[in-house]
Amino acid sequence: METRPVVRLIACTPEAETVVAAAAKLCYSRGTVDELLEGLTPEKVESFLEMLAEIGHESPIEHASFTFAIEGVSRSLLAQITRHRIASYSVQSQRYVKERDFDYIVPPEIAAVPQAKALFAEAMEAAGEAYDKIAALLQEKHRQEFLAQGKGEKEAKRLAEKKAIEDARFVLPNACDTKMVVTMNARSLYNFFRHRLCNRAQWEIREVALQMLRLCLEKAPVLFSKAGPPCFAGSCPEGKMSCGRAGEMRAFYQALRGGKA
């Protein structure tokens, strides 16, 4: 079955913007943390965060973290998102979870061509059938081995299935869907957005990044006021590889903030 990315924000630092402002202000103040917090009105928090963005002082924003549940994405996306190393990942395991009639992701370019989409669906069905057959053959082999070792029928079957799907999963495609929980601090998110909201990023991770940014803007709009692709708050770094749509990109991300950059 076809599926699409769905991202939910399931946890974040309470009063994230105040926490960041207090941490940053502490760097320049002789006062105690309690004194700093007492003096941080919403207006002062906003002013301080805007100042941090202007001078590029990013380390204080590491004190705010955001945890996302991400579903309906491919194993191909998993390989990309885990390149962002300052983050925590928990991923549904194909080693422990048997893929029964697995869902899969269809790239839009394939979906737009009926013949290509039909061939793609056939390939997914064939991969699923091969997975089931290989898993069944391996499971019976391992069941006999465990029985020979003196295991009971129930335990032998359970152990055999786990061992079988460890190897059967190798036939599964990159399109096979997965689920994950991802935690990043705000500084890592800024880096993630710079790379993955660029027009040159792969379509699937760009879609996930956009959903993540929307959720971050709902919770901490000032903290993420400058978050987006490089061309949103500055110049395009891609040189000859630029998409040439910097103006359009700036307009889009300004509109995302209700017209406020």
Side-chain angles (χ1 to χ4, degrees):
M1 184 175 70
E2 298 177 31
T3 186
R4 299 290 294 180
V6 176
V7 182
R8 291 183 294 127
L9 181 65
I10 60 174
C12 64
T13 301
E15 303 294 335
E17 295 182 337
T18 301
V19 169
V20 170
K25 196 170 182 181
L26 184 66
C27 298
Y28 307 102
S29 173
R30 293 174 58 87
T32 66
V33 173
D34 287 341
E35 290 170 343
L36 294 176
L37 288 171
E38 287 175 7
L40 281 174
T41 63
E43 294 75 21
K44 288 184 178 179
V45 167
E46 182 172 354
S47 176
F48 211 79
L49 292 181
E50 288 175 349
M51 183 196 73
L52 290 178
E54 290 298 324
I55 65 177
H57 187 185
E58 294 185 340
S59 61
I61 72 175
E62 294 176 15
H63 293 288
S65 66
F66 297 77
T67 299
F68 304 88
I70 303 174
E71 299 179 276
V73 293
S74 68
R75 303 294 291 194
S76 178
L77 178 133
L78 176 62
Q80 295 184 76
I81 198 169
T82 51
R83 292 174 186 162
H84 296 269
R85 295 183 293 276
I86 305 178
S88 299
Y89 301 96
S90 296
V91 183
Q92 186 179 65
S93 173
Q94 289 181 333
R95 186 181 179 198
Y96 294 100
V97 180
K98 189 172 184 180
E99 294 285 2
R100 295 182 175 88
D101 300 319
F102 66 87
D103 293 334
Y104 57 87
I105 285 71
V106 181
E109 294 294 332
I110 293 178
V113 180
Q115 187 177 5
K117 184 178 181 181
L119 286 170
F120 191 85
E122 288 176 14
M124 296 302 104
E125 184 176 349
E129 290 176 356
Y131 173 83
D132 289 340
K133 291 176 181 178
I134 292 169
L137 290 168
L138 292 178
Q139 183 172 342
E140 179 56 24
K141 172 181 180 291
H142 297 318
R143 187 182 72 86
Q144 295 293 343
E145 292 171 347
F146 285 124
L147 288 173
Q149 294 171 16
K151 305 288 186 185
E153 178 64 36
K154 186 175 181 180
E155 185 180 10
K157 184 178 179 181
R158 178 181 61 82
L159 292 173
E161 181 181 65
K162 176 187 175 298
K163 192 171 182 180
I165 64 175
E166 283 186 1
D167 293 328
R169 63 181 169 151
F170 277 72
V171 79
L172 293 172
N174 270 342
C176 188
D177 90 314
T178 192
K179 305 171 181 66
M180 67 189 78
V181 172
V182 178
T183 300
M184 294 186 186
N185 67 49
R187 190 178 192 181
S188 291
L189 280 166
Y190 257 85
N191 176 267
F192 177 73
F193 294 144
R194 276 195 292 266
H195 286 86
R196 302 305 183 174
L197 288 173
C198 173
N199 263 340
R200 297 193 63 241
Q202 186 259 356
W203 68 269
E204 187 181 21
I205 199 167
R206 190 169 68 243
E207 183 173 337
V208 167
L210 181 57
Q211 290 191 42
M212 290 168 67
L213 177 58
R214 290 183 190 274
L215 292 167
C216 287
L217 287 171
E218 289 177 8
K219 283 292 183 180
V222 181
L223 182 58
F224 289 97
S225 63
K226 303 295 183 183
C231 62
F232 170 59
S235 59
C236 175
E238 297 294 325
K240 293 181 179 180
M241 302 295 287
S242 172
C243 71
R245 298 165 56 192
E248 180 183 333
M249 294 288 281
R250 291 189 194 101
F252 175 84
Y253 286 98
Q254 286 171 355
L256 200 64
R257 294 161 169 83
K260 183 177 179 181

